[in-house]
Amino acid sequence: MKRVLLIPSDHGGGRGHVSRCINLAKKLQAEGSQTAIVLEQKHYQDGIDAGIPSYLLNTKRERFLKFQLKKPFWPRIKMIERVERPPVFLVFNGVAYQVPRDEYLSTRIALMRFKKLVKIVEQFKPDVLIGDTHFLTFLLGKKFSMPVIQITRLAAFPPAPRFFWWLQDEPRLVEPNAIEPFAPLLEKLAVNDVRKAEDLLRGDLYLIPSSEQIEPVDGRRDDVLFCGPLTENYRGDQKIPFFDLPVDVPRIYVTAGGGANRFGQQAFFEALLKIFDRRDFKVLVSTGGLYSAKNLNGQSTNVLFVDWIDGMSAIRKSDLVIHHGGYGSMMETLSAAKPSIVIPFHSEQEGNGRRLKELQVGDLHLPYAGKLQELLFSWPFGVYSMMAGTELALDAEQIISMIDGIYDQSLYARLQKISEELLSLQKNFDALKMLESV
């Protein structure tokens, strides 16, 4: 019986990486493995609630490391030039941007986190490490000469990810110097072949939580395994009175995603209300707690806002889903064979929307108008840039035109085929056999 330690990226706004690892840990447990998961404060209770032994990676104490006797005395991320309006869409080109987002703001922070993870490994004594876009999992494997499985996708697949796979020429951006925070750690471990952020996500096996059609990583490689969605699809439906009553108009479920980090939430939800009010649709909008539903309700008879709802139940009861393009939402809609429209907040979500459009099972609506403008940021390891759209512009007629496409019967045939493949991969995924292969 192998002991498995899962280390998901846990410093962003949502819980996509965490959810995948929790679901994989539950599967491994059910098949007889001993598992544990490393979580930060925000999602630590999620692991406990799922019945998985959980270790806390306490990053709150890092505030004591953000003051030092050399420049910069107070390491931080700072926007060099302020914008008049907050972004409604962000353009970046890879996982290097996750390093400052994860607040690796000094080499001391990287060393401290690694030291804490080392203690967890020494305490739990795993046989295998499983990482999900966590930059220290690969290095832990090096220190303990332990096999590493990396949960990954095309956009971050090392050594040559395809982030803007739909473009011939990528946007010209200045990437963060993502390796510098780890330089002393790399030297200490005698790892000298790390040149870019993706190199820190290498492993002995790459687990792709999808299908090759959706994530076209070369499935002929011995170190690539497609396992289907690492999501829960089989829990019973919960009652949704707003959707349960029989109606002769399409039911549309809209979810912004808890980790979408979209600025101007109020304007976004009010724009949705304006688009759908008094149209021949029954529209249920989950704000994900990003904005209070009670401030939006009472203005329409066919649009209802809720702070939270069981997402899979709402998806299965709907005719169409509008979502932000996150991994979880995309896998849930495809598994349920539901068409979707993606309104993304950033480039990675746009890529998911474009994949659905390419497969002819969904569409994409970019939420901004006008020219993208450059955003410059300084951090302790230099300067980096992103592009941003700052003018929210949801085109009502274009969105309604996209919705009209759900009446295309060939779309449902394509969706059913994709759904069957994903559910088959999920059902036949042998997690114990995976562990034995590394």
Side-chain angles (χ1 to χ4, degrees):
M1 178 187 299
K2 288 199 173 184
R3 298 171 65 85
V4 185
L5 183 65
L6 296 100
I7 311 174
S9 171
D10 189 21
H11 214 80
R15 65 189 299 270
H17 302 288
V18 171
S19 295
R20 289 200 295 237
C21 284
I22 285 176
N23 289 329
L24 178 56
K26 288 165 69 174
K27 181 176 178 63
L28 286 164
Q29 281 185 341
E31 295 182 7
S33 293
Q34 291 187 10
T35 64
I37 191 168
V38 180
L39 297 169
E40 295 181 27
Q41 300 85 229
K42 184 174 182 179
H43 296 118
Y44 178 70
Q45 190 60 43
D46 291 346
I48 300 295
D49 292 343
I52 303 165
S54 301
Y55 290 91
L56 176 64
L57 182 63
N58 190 346
T59 57
K60 284 185 176 180
R61 297 177 182 176
E62 292 174 359
R63 63 183 181 274
F64 299 113
L65 299 182
K66 293 179 182 178
F67 300 93
Q68 51 193 26
L69 297 177
K70 61 180 181 178
K71 291 184 177 181
F73 301 112
W74 182 23
R76 57 178 175 164
I77 301 170
K78 184 179 180 181
M79 185 180 292
I80 294 176
E81 185 175 340
R82 295 288 179 180
V83 293
E84 292 183 6
R85 291 188 295 264
V88 297
F89 186 78
L90 289 172
V91 177
F92 52 87
N93 62 354
V95 295
Y97 290 83
Q98 188 174 310
V99 174
R101 187 208 71 175
D102 288 355
E103 294 188 348
Y104 287 99
L105 300 181
S106 74
T107 57
R108 296 171 68 199
I109 288 176
L111 286 166
M112 175 174 271
R113 289 185 190 178
F114 189 75
K115 185 177 180 180
K116 290 179 178 179
L117 288 171
V118 166
K119 288 183 178 179
I120 292 171
V121 169
E122 290 173 342
Q123 184 176 349
F124 182 66
K125 296 180 174 57
D127 302 299
V128 179
L129 298 174
I130 298 180
D132 190 335
T133 326
H134 196 291
F135 293 108
L136 296 176
T137 312
F138 166 71
L139 298 179
L140 276 175
K142 285 291 185 184
K143 177 174 176 61
F144 289 98
S145 300
M146 189 180 301
V148 172
I149 297 170
Q150 297 279 17
I151 302 173
T152 189
R153 301 173 61 204
L154 181 69
F157 189 80
R162 292 178 58 200
F163 195 84
F164 283 106
W165 56 267
W166 64 94
L167 296 178
Q168 287 187 334
D169 298 314
E170 293 191 3
R172 293 185 179 181
L173 299 171
V174 179
E175 292 188 21
N177 186 351
I179 301 306
E180 200 62 30
F182 307 96
L185 185 55
L186 293 169
E187 183 178 357
K188 184 177 181 180
L189 296 172
V191 176
N192 54 21
D193 58 348
V194 171
R195 300 287 181 270
K196 54 186 183 297
E198 288 81 9
D199 292 337
L200 289 169
L201 302 178
R202 295 195 301 242
D204 300 285
L205 178 71
Y206 299 103
L207 186 65
I208 315 296
S210 186
S211 68
E212 189 170 1
Q213 184 181 20
I214 299 166
E215 299 288 339
V217 176
D218 188 357
R220 296 168 297 180
R221 293 176 45 157
D222 293 336
D223 60 350
V224 170
L225 175 63
F226 292 90
C227 65
L230 290 174
T231 55
E232 290 185 294
N233 297 319
Y234 300 112
R235 58 180 182 263
D237 283 344
Q238 295 187 11
K239 291 184 178 181
I240 303 177
F242 188 72
F243 270 2
D244 288 340
L245 295 175
V247 292
D248 57 359
V249 297
R251 298 176 178 88
I252 299 175
Y253 172 53
V254 184
T255 171
N261 288 337
R262 195 189 307 274
F263 295 96
Q265 293 293 346
Q266 180 178 352
F268 177 73
F269 291 123
E270 286 177 349
L272 290 176
L273 181 61
K274 187 175 180 180
I275 290 170
F276 290 114
D277 182 36
R278 288 181 289 184
R279 291 193 186 256
D280 290 332
F281 306 111
K282 204 166 181 66
V283 182
L284 177 66
V285 184
S286 172
T287 69
L290 300 171
Y291 186 74
S292 178
K294 68 180 181 181
N295 295 330
L296 298 159
N297 282 326
Q299 304 178 56
S300 174
T301 58
N302 68 303
V303 182
L304 176 68
F305 291 85
V306 292
D307 292 316
W308 184 90
I309 200 153
D310 182 69
M312 276 308 301
S313 298
I315 288 170
R316 280 195 283 260
K317 293 172 185 285
S318 68
D319 300 297
L320 172 80
V321 181
I322 297 177
H323 60 89
H324 61 292
Y327 162 81
S329 297
M330 182 171 72
M331 288 297 103
E332 287 171 347
T333 55
L334 289 174
S335 297
K338 299 293 182 178
S340 59
I341 295 172
V342 171
I343 303 178
F345 172 65
H346 56 63
S347 298
E348 183 179 0
Q349 295 170 352
E350 178 187 353
N352 292 335
R354 289 189 179 276
R355 183 67 70 195
L356 295 176
K357 186 172 183 177
E358 180 190 61
L359 296 172
Q360 297 181 291
V361 293
D363 217 327
L364 172 74
H365 183 80
L366 295 176
Y368 67 93
K371 185 179 179 180
L372 292 168
Q373 66 181 92
E374 185 178 43
L375 301 181
L376 287 175
F377 299 86
S378 66
W379 72 313
F381 303 100
V383 174
Y384 62 93
S385 69
M386 290 189 276
M387 302 295 288
T390 59
E391 183 182 345
L392 180 66
L394 300 184
D395 187 322
E397 295 309 315
Q398 186 182 56
I399 290 174
I400 299 303
S401 177
M402 290 176 180
I403 294 172
D404 288 341
I406 67 172
Y407 299 105
D408 180 0
Q409 292 303 309
S410 63
L411 178 148
Y412 288 98
R414 291 190 293 271
L415 272 169
Q416 191 61 39
K417 186 175 181 180
I418 291 173
S419 173
E420 289 172 357
E421 180 186 19
L422 287 172
L423 295 177
S424 176
L425 285 168
Q426 186 183 59
K427 181 180 179 181
N428 295 316
F429 170 43
D430 189 331
L432 294 185
K433 186 176 179 181
M434 172 192 71
L435 296 180
E436 296 297 331
S437 69
V438 295

